[in-house]
Each structure stands twice: as structure tokens, then as C-alpha cells.
Amino acid sequence: MSSRRATTAVGSLIAASVSVVLTLSFPAGADDPGPGSSKGGKVVDAAPAGVRTTTSLPERISVDNSSGKTSITATVKNEGTQDGEQIRLLVVGFDGLTVKSVQGCAAIAAKDLPEGSNSGFSCPIGHLAAGSSKSYAVDATFDLKKTGKICLPVQTGDGGKTYWQQGPVPFGTTNPSPNAPATPLLLGTDNAPVGPGGDEPPKTGVELPKTGVGRDLLPLGVAGASLLMAGAAGLWWSRRPAGPTAS
């Protein structure tokens, strides 16, 4: 093979390699929700010594613009050095985000939902070993004409204490995509509702402290007003009497 032909062949191989890398990496990046985040989370009641319970949500989800369907992975972790006692995870939706099902969990009766929420599921976890985690597949819908929030409290099995609560933290976008097949939403971002003029309905109710990084105020509406009267400092379930628990 001549030097010129060899140079041409090598150049073609390099070009093909670059093409393959771009073709494979771009779709993976588009579909990858990124690492989980505990944004909007806060300790409520002190956990037993050596136990550190937290939760995480994906940094990004995608909402189908036709059906409004989306999927979310909710993860609970024991980042401590000791095994935990029996706990349960609650997955609760607010406003435009409605939780339809959570794998392995039971729906919370409407009468036992926190005020202001529209849906919720209770997930009995049992004892979570030190350094271990458990993830749940959450099926939900998101009305892009509204804002939407999700909340993950981690409680004792009887609901008497809340060791950790993430949220209510919003998913949203400041750049709606009504003509695209799907709209990506980011954790910790207030949604800009899709509608005539893209205007968001005026906020009402009491403003309470947010718990996420870079978030100063979290509007909780009617639920917030009830919490202030109860002196719960924005943690709406930290002192709530336990309702029926799924087994």
C-alpha cells in the first residue's frame, strides 16, 4: 500500500471513530437523568445514634407532552454507621405533579394526605442497614400548565417521628417546550406553566422557608398557613399523628 493510500485509510478510520463516539454519546447524555440529589432535604427529628437517613431524587425528569406521563426514581439511604430501625418512605405529590403509583407501595387514603397534596404512597422499608439504600420507581403525571412539587418524608414505621424530609421540592422548567415530544424538568426549579402567554397563576397563601440549596422561600399555600399556626416551621408531617400504615 502506498504512503498516500495508508494516510487516506488512517484518516477514514479516525473520522469513523469520531462519528461513532458522537452517535453513541449524544443519546446517552440526552436520556441520562444525572446523579440523584438530596436538594430540598432536611433533618427533622433526631435519628438513633449512628443512623443517618436521607433521600434523593433525579436532577432531571422528562414529561411526555401528549400524555403528561413521567417517571421518577425515589431513593432512601442510610449513610450512617449503624443499622436503622423500621422506617417507611412517603412519596407525596403537590399541585401539577400527581403520583399515580410507586412500586411496592400502597396508596395513602385521601383523608390521611397532608393538606394541600393531591396524592401519596406509603412504602414500608423495614430495617435499612448501614451504608445501604433502596430505590422506588415512581409513575406520575405532570400538568405543565401548573407548577408541581414532590415530597419524600422518611418516618418511623408507626409515623411517630420524621427523621428526614425532602421537599416539597419543585420540578420545573423556565423554558416550556409545548411543541416538542417531551419537556425536561429540573429538580429545584419552579415551573413556568405552558398556557396562553405562558403566565403562571398568581401565588397565594403563606411563604415558608425552603430547605434546598439556593432556595429562600417555598410557597406552600393553605398547607403553609396551617403549619405556621401549628408551629411546625414548614415541616408539615414532622408532628402529624400517624395514619393507617400500609403493610
Side-chain angles (χ1 to χ4, degrees), residues 91-93 99 106-109 113 117-122:
V91 183
V92 185
V99 181
I108 299 172
L113 288 171
S117 67
N118 57 44
S119 54
F121 284 75
S122 176

Side-chain angles (χ1 to χ4, degrees), residues 216-244:
D216 298 319
L217 292 172
L218 174 61
L220 293 183
V222 176
S226 300
L227 288 170
L228 280 184
M229 289 186 290
L235 299 166
W236 44 256
W237 218 324
S238 62
R239 299 293 182 270
R240 180 183 176 90

